[in-house]
């Protein structure tokens, strides 16, 4: 994840001669605050942890950590500036020494402070490498001001912030080019804006995931009216918010926090509305369920009624068809029974007539005989005739219809035939009819 970081640079001048610019500062005070003296009374400094600060001196032959001594050295260098000139008498080039102007920029100070949430994950070696890469980038962007040869002093402060892991680096040096000429006048808004624009690019070339900074392009500001108007609105809004003293990065963080707070308020309001919507939805869903249940109950009742009516209709149709089929089946049977009964009655009548005729003939031939054998014959014939006349036509019909009428009819026919044969073939001699 990328982060934003850019060195904060300031020109150092003599006390009492500081020009009205936020790019200049009193060198003595700034160096004393940077060094082990830590003369600042700021509440954010934990002086009990100042002993953990580390200082590095790059001046040959010197090993001090005091900020006052550092400024004394810078000021002494400004009082003995080498100037190459031509001697009028000899015509030769000579070196003269002169004192710098009272308001000259004699030194520079810078601060490199990556975000604490990033540095707390780094080792001491990784932090040192980042600080060195940062100063290399400064030298590449403004070589006429910064170089390793003119860097004098660095200090790593861990006595600010919330813990010892929240650290940053201070550095100081003399702004001179390769020819030894003072170039402190280049520490101005234009060049420092260039530093903020180019620093992230150079750091990315060194493998650092640094994001671009929000800076004013002064060349574009002077030539592009639309850009100038936009920056004016931005600066006026910054002043209106009461954050005019913040750096662009700090103000950007303020705006981000402000937008985050607004987003949180919108989120809270959205959650409240979502809760109301969910409650309304649940109430609507419950009502719909109740309505659906009532509809289902009514639909089930209607379906049951329709099913019952359909079943009754099918039963009526079934009964009608069964009755019709039964009538269709029983009609021939009834007709057959009637025919069989009629044939039976005819046969019985024929048998009766035959028996009566035989009796009449026999009686006529034997009417004058009154022997015991004759009595037994008369008794037998009377029993036979009586047995044939015991059943009425209705009894014969009911028995015929209930017990296999066709078989019963056939049996009656055979019995009738057998009786007729018996009467016809009986040996009526006296020896066949002996009384017991």
């Amino acid at each position: 994840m990328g982060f934003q970081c850019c060195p904060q640079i300031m020109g150092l001048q003599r006390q009492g001669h500081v020009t009205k610019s936020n790019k200049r500062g009193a060198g003595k005070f700034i160096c004393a605050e940077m060094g082990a003296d830590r003369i600042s009374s700021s509440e954010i400094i934990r002086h009990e942890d100042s002993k953990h600060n580390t200082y590095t001196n790059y001046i040959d032959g010197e090993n001090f950590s005091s900020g006052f001594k550092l400024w004394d050295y810078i000021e002494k260098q400004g009082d003995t500036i080498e100037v190459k000139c031509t001697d009028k008498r000899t015509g030769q080039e000579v070196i003269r020494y002169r004192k710098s102007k009272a308001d000259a920029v004699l030194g520079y100070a810078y601060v490199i402070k990556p975000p604490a949430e990033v540095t707390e994950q780094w080792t001491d070696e990784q932090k040192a490498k980042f600080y060195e890469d940062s100063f290399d980038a400064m030298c590449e962007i403004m070589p006429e001001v910064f170089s390793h040869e003119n860097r004098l002093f660095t200090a790593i402060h861990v006595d600010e912030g919330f813990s010892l892991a929240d650290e940053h680096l201070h550095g100081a040096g003399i702004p001179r080019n390769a020819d030894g000429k003072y170039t402190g006048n280049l520490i101005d808004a234009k060049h420092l804006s260039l530093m903020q624009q180019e620093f992230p690019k150079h750091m990315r070339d060194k493998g650092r995931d640094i994001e671009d900074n929000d800076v004013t392009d002064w060349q574009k500001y002077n030539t592009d009216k639309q850009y100038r108007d936009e920056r004016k609105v931005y600066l006026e809004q910054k002043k209106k918010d009461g954050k005019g003293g913040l750096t662009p990065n700090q103000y950007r963080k303020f705006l981000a926090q402000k937008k985050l707070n607004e987003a949180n308020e919108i989120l809270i309001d959205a959650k409240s509305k979502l809760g109301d919507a969910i409650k309304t939805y649940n109430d609507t869903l419950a009502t719909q369920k109740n309505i659906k249940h009532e509809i289902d109950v009514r639909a089930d009742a209607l379906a049951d009624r329709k099913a019952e009516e359909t079943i009754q209709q099918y039963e009526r149709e079934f009964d009608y068809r069964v009755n019709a089929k039964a009538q269709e089946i029983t009609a021939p049977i009834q007709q057959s029974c009637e025919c069989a009964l009629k044939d039976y009655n005819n046969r019985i009548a024929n048998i009766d007539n035959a028996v009566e005729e035989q009796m009449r003939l026999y009686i006529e031939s034997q009417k004058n005989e009154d022997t015991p054998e004759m009595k037994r014959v008369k008794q037998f014939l009377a029993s036979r005739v009586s047995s044939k006349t015991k059943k009425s036509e209705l009894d014969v019909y009911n028995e015929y219809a209930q017990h296999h009428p066709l078989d019963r009819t056939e049996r009656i026919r055979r019995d009738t035939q057998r009786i007729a044969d018996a009467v016809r073939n009986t040996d009526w001699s006296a020896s066949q009819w002996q009384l017991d």
Side-chain angles (χ1 to χ4, degrees), residues 107-383:
Y108 64 79
Y110 65 92
V111 179
I112 299 176
K113 186 176 182 179
E117 60 270 18
V118 176
T119 58
E120 65 184 5
Q121 307 295 331
W122 291 351
T123 63
D124 292 341
E125 292 76 11
Q126 289 174 320
K127 295 175 185 177
K129 184 66 169 61
F130 180 83
Y131 296 141
E132 198 63 23
D133 287 345
S134 298
F135 190 73
D136 289 343
M138 293 169 58
C139 296
E140 293 168 2
I141 298 169
M142 296 178 65
E144 65 277 13
V145 176
F146 304 105
S147 67
H148 288 274
E149 290 74 21
N150 65 31
R151 181 174 57 171
L152 304 178
F153 189 84
T154 58
I156 296 179
H157 290 172
V158 296
D159 55 357
E160 301 177 35
F162 298 99
S163 67
L164 295 177
D166 187 5
E167 69 172 50
H168 57 277
L169 178 137
H170 288 260
I174 297 176
R176 286 188 292 207
N177 60 18
D179 296 332
K181 182 179 179 180
Y182 272 78
T183 56
N185 61 313
L186 298 179
I187 303 176
D188 56 14
K190 178 180 178 180
H191 288 85
L192 295 186
S193 176
L194 176 65
M195 175 67 70
Q196 289 193 348
Q197 287 179 340
E198 297 297 324
F199 182 80
K201 300 177 184 178
H202 285 259
M203 291 297 285
R204 285 196 290 269
D205 292 340
K206 300 178 185 300
R208 304 289 182 174
D209 190 7
I210 304 295
E211 298 177 356
D212 289 334
N213 297 298
D214 177 22
V215 296
T216 301
D217 186 343
W218 292 106
Q219 184 176 359
K220 186 176 181 180
Y221 183 90
N222 294 327
T223 58
D224 190 333
K225 183 178 183 303
Q226 181 179 355
Y227 178 76
R228 182 167 59 252
D229 293 340
E230 290 176 355
R231 294 303 295 179
K232 285 182 179 179
V233 171
Y234 166 79
L235 296 175
E236 288 175 0
Q237 183 63 39
K238 183 177 177 181
K239 184 177 181 180
K240 183 178 179 181
D241 291 334
K243 305 298 179 180
L246 297 181
T247 64
N249 286 345
Q250 292 172 335
Y251 183 61
R252 182 170 51 255
K253 184 180 293 186
F254 164 77
L255 291 179
Q257 185 63 42
K258 183 178 179 181
K259 290 182 179 180
L260 180 61
N261 295 338
E262 293 175 353
N264 288 333
E265 293 178 359
I266 295 173
L267 180 61
I268 293 173
D269 183 60
K271 286 183 177 179
S272 177
K273 291 181 179 180
L274 179 60
D276 295 339
I278 292 175
K279 184 177 182 301
T280 303
Y281 171 77
N282 290 333
D283 294 342
T284 304
L285 185 62
T287 303
Q288 290 178 347
K289 287 183 178 179
N290 293 334
I291 294 174
K292 183 178 181 300
H293 176 70
E294 184 177 354
I295 292 174
D296 290 342
V297 171
R298 293 184 180 182
D300 291 342
L302 180 61
D304 291 342
R305 187 166 63 252
K306 291 290 186 181
E308 185 66 25
E309 292 176 356
T310 303
I311 290 172
Q312 292 177 358
Q313 182 179 355
Y314 285 160
E315 287 179 347
R316 289 193 297 270
E317 184 176 353
F318 178 76
D319 291 342
Y320 172 78
R321 292 184 178 181
V322 167
N323 292 334
K325 193 66 176 177
Q327 186 176 0
E328 181 183 352
I329 294 172
T330 57
I333 296 174
Q334 184 176 1
Q335 185 177 2
S336 298
C337 289
E338 291 175 353
C339 293
L341 180 60
K342 185 177 180 181
D343 182 66
Y344 173 79
N345 290 333
N346 291 335
R347 291 177 180 276
I348 291 299
N350 292 334
I351 292 171
D352 289 342
N353 292 336
V355 170
E356 289 176 2
E357 180 63 23
Q358 291 294 328
M359 288 176 64
R360 187 184 64 79
L361 293 175
Y362 182 77
I363 291 172
E364 284 293 333
S365 63
Q366 301 291 332
K367 62 181 177 179
N368 294 327
E369 297 182 9
D370 193 15
T371 63
E373 290 84 0
M374 187 61 190
K375 290 180 181 180
R376 281 194 296 272
V377 170
K378 290 179 180 179
Q379 185 180 359
F380 171 75
L381 292 175
S383 64

